């Protein structure tokens, strides 16, 4: 049994991290063109750094919830049986890791990693992004940006993701609105390959009609119950 799980902001909602497109979501308060595009960073890097510094501060106080823990347990239990969980997240938070997940594919990057815009060097960093801090790799200042994939940039690990999707027996999307590609297209790809599909979300997503099975409710309740069911059926 190979299970491909795609998570989105909804899985971290009960941990107090805001989603993007819900009422009160991040993109209702900020203009994504200003804070989540290379053009926005070029125009006003201080504004972009301030936006991500606030998000880093939020993340420092956030703890994983029952849904993150259930997926970490699922990975361990599947591995013990010779099965596999491929955990792919659109989230830039580290709550899967904090819940104990060992292998997490961050296709949209990681908030707690700083990238140098000059030389692309990466370094783990939970503190604020500071323009004056010199890059440890190239020595230049002014390049500190979050290691987050912005609109107009290419998501990470796409080869690994496509390989894992093509080998999966079950594709499950959790807490994602299904509005950002390429992730939003995974369910249709899975379906075209004959892979069973399941959506777990608070409400039907934009892609709800494509999924074979749909489970609606808060991730912190629905995901642990789903994990129990999967393990009982193995
Ligand atoms: P969205 O904000 O677009 O969607 C979040 C989904 O989670 C919605 O469908 C909600 O109904 C659902 N939801 C909210 N609370 C939930 C809960 N407690 N339990 C289960 N589901 C819940 O977030 P994403 O789909 O992750 O990109 O957004 C995709 C990408 O757009 C993000 O990765 C981000 C954003 O711009 C980058 O940062 C590059």
């Amino acid at each position: 049994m190979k299970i491909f799980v795609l998570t989105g902001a909804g899985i971290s909602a009960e941990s107090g991290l805001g989603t993007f497109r819900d009422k009160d979501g991040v993109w209702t308060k900020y203009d994504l063109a200003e804070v989540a595009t290379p053009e926005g960073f070029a125009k006003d890097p201080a504004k972009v750094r301030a936006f991500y510094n606030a998000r880093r501060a939020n993340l420092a106080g956030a703890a994983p919830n029952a849904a993150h823990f259930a997926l970490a347990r699922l990975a361990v239990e599947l591995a013990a049986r010779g099965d596999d969980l491929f955990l792919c997240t659109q989230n830039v938070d580290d709550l899967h890791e904090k819940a104990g997940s060992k292998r997490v594919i961050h296709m949209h990057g990681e908030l707690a990693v700083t990238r140098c815009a000059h030389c692309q060097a990466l370094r783990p960093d939970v503190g604020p992004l500071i323009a004056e801090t010199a890059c440890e790799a190239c020595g230049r200042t002014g390049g500190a940006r979050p290691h987050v994939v912005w609109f107009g940039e290419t998501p990470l690990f796409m080869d690994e993701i496509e390989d894992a999707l093509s080998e999966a027996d079950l594709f499950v999307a959790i807490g994602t609105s299904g509005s950002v590609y390429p992730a939003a297209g995974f369910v249709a790809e899975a379906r075209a390959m004959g892979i069973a599909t399941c959506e777990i979300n608070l409400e039907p997503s934009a892609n709800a009609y494509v999924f074979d099975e749909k489970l609606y409710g808060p991730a912190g309740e629905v995901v642990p119950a789903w994990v129990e069911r999967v393990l009982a059926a193995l």
Side-chain angles (χ1 to χ4, degrees), residues 34-197:
E34 289 180 1
V35 297
T37 62
E39 294 77 16
F41 184 62
K43 191 171 161 203
D44 193 345
K47 179 186 262 185
V48 174
R49 289 192 184 102
F51 171 76
Y52 288 99
N53 287 345
R55 299 194 65 207
R56 279 186 175 181
N58 278 348
L59 183 55
N65 65 57
H68 298 101
F69 284 113
L71 292 179
R73 176 181 166 221
L74 179 63
V76 171
E77 303 259 1
L78 287 176
R81 292 165 160 90
D83 297 321
D84 187 57
L85 173 67
F86 186 86
L87 180 53
C88 174
T89 187
Q90 297 168 87
N91 298 344
V92 298
D93 68 49
D94 57 0
L95 298 186
H96 285 304
E97 287 88 346
K98 281 183 179 158
S101 285
K102 299 278 180 253
R103 187 168 54 111
V104 186
I105 302 296
H106 282 275
M107 65 179 292
H108 289 168
E110 293 172 77
L111 189 56
V113 175
T114 292
R115 190 196 312 168
C116 172
H118 303 304
C119 73
Q120 311 306 318
L122 303 178
R123 71 184 162 87
D125 186 11
V126 291
L129 295 153
I130 299 170
E132 292 74 24
T133 304
C135 169
E136 287 168 11
C138 72
R140 295 173 68 184
T141 57
R145 61 162 281 182
H147 182 45
V148 167
V149 176
W150 286 329
F151 290 90
E153 296 182 325
T154 308
L156 309 172
F157 308 112
M158 286 308 296
D159 290 345
E160 261 177 275
I161 290 170
E162 291 296 341
D163 286 350
L165 194 54
S166 67
E167 288 170 8
D169 301 298
L170 173 63
F171 169 80
V172 185
I174 302 173
T176 177
S177 61
S179 38
V180 174
Y181 285 80
F186 293 170
V187 62
E189 278 185 61
R191 194 172 183 152
M193 291 188 281
I195 299 164
T197 57

Side-chain angles (χ1 to χ4, degrees), residues 8-10 14 20-22 27 90 108 149 151 175-177 201-202 219:
E14 289 153 78
F20 295 95
R21 294 172 184 79
D22 291 308
W27 298 147
Q90 297 168 87
H108 289 168
V149 176
F151 290 90
T176 177
S177 61
N201 210 43
L202 202 54

